[in-house]
Amino acid sequence: MICVPIIAPTPERIEREIHFATPLADLLELRMDYAPRADLKRLIETRRKPVIVTCRPEREGGQFRGEESERLALLQRAIDLGADYVDVEWDSVGALRRGGHTRMIVSRHDFRRVPENLESLHAELVAAGADIAKIACTATSILDNLRIFRLLKSTKHPTIALCMGEAGAISRVLGRKYGAFLTFGSAARGKESAPGQFSAAQLREMYRYKQIGRATDFYGVIANPVGHSMSPAIHNAAFAALNMDAVYLPLKVECDPAEFVRAFRELDARGYSVTLPHKEGILAGMDELSPLARRIGAVNTVVCRQGRLHGTNTDVPAAIGALEEAVAGGTKAAAVAERSPLADRRVLLLGAGGAARAVAHGLIEKGARVAITNRTPERAVALAREVGGEAVTMEAAAGIGAEIVINTTSVGMYPHVCATPLPREALRKGMVVFDAVYNPPETRLLREARETGCRTIGGIRWFVSQAALQFELWTGRPAPRHVMERVVRQRLEER
Ligand code: NAP
C-alpha cells in the first residue's frame, strides 16, 4: 500500500492536499502534529480513503509541542471517531484505550542510525500490542538497508520498516519485496514528510510499487551522486513496456563499490548499471570480467547469474555500433560486415576522460587511426600512449584530415549550450560528427555539423544504446529502444 502523509498547517491546505493525494494513495496519514486544531471529526467522517491518524511529538521527530495529555487525548479521540489506524509511539501506547476497528501502529524512530538491536526493538513493539509494528531509522550507508530487509524477511507480523535519508531510499521501494506493510510517498515532489521519500506518483508510475512482490527481479544503478541519473526512468519504463516483473533502483554507493556488490549478494539482484565514479573500482568485486572490460579496466554493466557477478562494458559497443552505422551510411548490415567501416578511418577525438577512453579503445580495436586532443594535453598524451593513438594539439587538430570527429568533452553541455569544442571552420561536408553530450539533444557542435552537411550522431543515441545492450544482457530480450529513447527525451524536456 502507498500511504501519502498530509502535512499542512491550515484546514484549507489540508483539504487541498487531501484532494490531490486521494487518487494517488491507498491510505492517507493525517499528520495532526502539523495542525492540531484541525477538525479531526470532519476529516475522519468525510474520508474517501482509509486514514492513519498521527500526532508525532518532537522527541520522535514530529511537530507537536503541546502537553503530552493533549496529544494523547487527540489520538484517543481518533480511535473513538473510528479512524482506520492510529500511529502511536512505543512509549505512549499504554496510555490509549483500544476501541472499534481502529488498528494500532506502534512506532519507533531513530534519527541517528539503524540501531543494533533492531530485532529486539521490533519484538518489543509487537509485545506492546502493535497490530502493525513500525520502525523508521536513518541509514548512514546504503548497506544499512540490508538490516531492514532482513528484519522484514524474518517476521510474519505486519511491519513497516524503512530507512530514512538518501542512503535509505531503496528501502521505501524494495521493502515491499520483503513484505513491508506499506510505504510512504509524498503528495508531490518537495512535499516529503521524511528525507529520502519518493513521491507517490513516482512510486506508482516509475517503480510500479504495487506490482512488486517476492518474485520481482531487482536491478539498479551504482553511482554517486545518483539523483540526476535517468537510468531508473528508462529501465523501469522498458520493464513496464514488456510487462516484466522487475524493478530498477538508484543506488547511491558512497562506500567501495566492490564492497557494496559483495554485501548485496544476499538480495540476489539480477544486474547493475555502473557509472561515475565507480566504473573502475567495481572491478575488484567481480567474479568474472569480459575480455573488453578487462582490457579497458572499466565496467558499466554487471550481470548476475547463478550467484556469480560478471562485469562487462556496453559503452564501447554502443558507441562503436553507432559510429559504424553512420560511416556505413546508416545500414546495420554494412556495419556488421567482416571488416569494420571504421578501419583506417582518420578520427579526431576531443577529450581524454572516461568517455574518451571507452571510445578510443573501441576505435583502435576496429583499426581506426585516432588523434586525441584535450584541454589538458598530458592526459591526451597518456591516453594516446595507452591505446596506441596519437596526441595532437588543438591547433594541429583541424589540419589532420579527419573523416570522423568525436566530442567526449563536456563542452556544449547544458547550461553552456552556446559553447562548442570545435570551430565551425574545422567541419567539412561528409564528415561523421558524434557528440557524447546529450543535454541538449542537439548541441551547437551537432547543429553546425548538420548545417555543414555532416552526418551527425547525438549523445542520446549512445546513452540509449548502452542501456539497451545492458537490458538485453540481463533479460535476453530485445530492448524496447523507442520507449527508452522517448523517456530520455521527455526527461530532458522536463529539466
Ligand atoms: P570526464 O572523465 O570528467 O572527462 C571530461 C573531459 O571533458 C576531459 O577531457 C576534460 O578535459 C574535458 N573538459 C571538461 N570541461 C572542459 C572545458 N571547459 N574545456 C575543454 N575541455 C573540457 O567525463 P566523461 O565521463 O568522459 O564525460 C564527458 C562528457 O561525455 C560528459 O558531457 C558526459 O555527459 C558525456 N557522456 C555521455 C555518454 C552518453 O551515453 N551519451 C556517456 C559518457 C559520457 P581535462 O582533461 O582538461 O579536464
Side-chain angles (χ1 to χ4, degrees), residues 351-355 374-376 379 408-411 413 436 438 459 462-463:
N374 191 47
R375 176 179 63 177
T376 311
R379 292 185 78 193
T408 63
T409 75
S410 40
V411 177
M413 190 165 86
Y438 56 75
W462 189 16
F463 184 66

Side-chain angles (χ1 to χ4, degrees), residues 68-403:
E68 181 66 357
S69 56
E70 223 182 293
R71 192 179 76 82
L72 293 171
L74 188 151
L75 292 174
Q76 188 63 58
R77 190 147 176 268
I79 296 172
D80 298 342
L81 287 167
D84 305 276
Y85 301 88
V86 163
D87 180 326
V88 59
E89 298 67 31
W90 60 283
D91 54 357
S92 315
V93 59
L96 296 185
R97 212 177 348 93
R98 285 174 168 269
H101 298 293
T102 304
R103 298 179 75 195
M104 301 289 265
I105 300 174
V106 182
S107 62
R108 184 157 192 150
H109 296 77
D110 190 322
F111 291 93
R112 285 168 304 157
R113 60 175 179 270
V114 177
E116 287 305 323
N117 55 340
L118 211 48
E119 278 74 17
S120 62
L121 291 178
H122 179 260
E124 281 173 25
L125 298 179
V126 175
D131 294 311
I132 297 117
K134 176 180 168 190
I135 295 187
C137 38
T138 296
T140 53
S141 154
I142 192 160
L143 303 182
D144 286 341
N145 292 285
L146 293 173
R147 294 176 43 214
I148 287 289
F149 298 147
R150 276 181 219 136
L151 173 68
L152 285 168
K153 277 197 260 186
S154 71
T155 182
K156 293 218 163 5
H157 196 86
T159 297
I160 303 165
L162 54 89
C163 283
M164 295 179 285
E166 208 185 343
I170 64 167
S171 68
R172 297 176 177 276
V173 178
L174 211 51
R176 183 168 164 103
K177 180 172 161 75
Y178 304 110
F181 182 75
L182 61 74
T183 193
F184 295 92
S186 64
R189 282 193 194 183
K191 293 216 162 233
E192 298 77 15
S193 65
Q197 211 171 72
F198 295 103
S199 72
Q202 269 179 313
L203 288 168
R204 258 179 199 280
E205 289 151 26
M206 177 148 90
Y207 296 111
R208 295 184 297 153
Y209 180 81
K210 296 190 70 179
Q211 273 129 284
I212 294 175
R214 297 213 179 251
T216 300
D217 287 338
F218 154 50
Y219 298 85
V221 54
I222 296 172
N224 185 26
V226 73
H228 67 287
S229 173
M230 287 194 287
S231 296
I234 68 173
H235 282 294
N236 281 315
F239 289 132
L242 300 187
N243 205 15
M244 293 176 72
D245 187 8
V247 66
Y248 182 107
L249 291 167
L251 304 166
K252 185 179 183 205
V253 174
E254 289 172 307
C255 61
D256 172 5
E259 184 195 339
F260 166 81
V261 284
R262 274 195 284 268
F264 262 57
R265 270 180 198 275
E266 70 179 77
L267 297 191
D268 208 15
R270 292 305 158 113
Y272 299 110
S273 311
V274 187
T275 187
L276 293 178
H278 293 318
K279 288 185 186 184
E280 285 92 29
I282 198 137
L283 263 75
M286 299 294 101
D287 298 313
E288 298 146 13
L289 285 174
S290 69
L292 173 66
R294 189 184 300 282
R295 197 167 61 249
I296 67 173
V299 162
N300 84 323
T301 308
V302 181
V303 182
C304 314
R305 261 189 221 119
Q306 280 133 18
R308 292 186 66 76
L309 304 178
H310 174 82
T312 187
N313 192 299
T314 64
D315 285 333
V316 178
I320 297 304
L323 280 164
E324 286 186 321
E325 214 179 300
V327 172
T331 58
K332 276 203 175 139
V336 295
E338 214 157 83
R339 184 180 147 85
S340 167
L342 298 174
D344 288 329
R345 300 285 183 172
R346 193 78 172 120
V347 181
L348 175 62
L349 182 58
L350 309 171
R357 229 172 130 249
V359 173
H361 273 278
L363 287 168
I364 295 286
E365 195 193 49
K366 296 291 181 185
R369 292 181 293 144
V370 182
I372 305 168
T373 188
N374 191 47
R375 176 179 63 177
T376 311
E378 304 82 59
R379 292 185 78 193
V381 171
L383 181 58
R385 195 173 299 136
E386 178 187 324
V387 299
E390 169 197 3
V392 295
T393 61
M394 195 56 193
E395 295 69 42
I400 67 161
E403 300 155 88

Side-chain angles (χ1 to χ4, degrees), residues 206 230 232-235 237-238 481-494:
M206 177 148 90
M230 287 194 287
I234 68 173
H235 282 294
R481 286 177 189 242
H482 58 287
V483 172
M484 297 169 108
E485 181 166 340
R486 192 181 64 224
V487 172
V488 173
R489 289 188 186 277
Q490 261 168 7
R491 291 257 145 175
L492 290 176
E493 269 166 31
E494 283 162 20

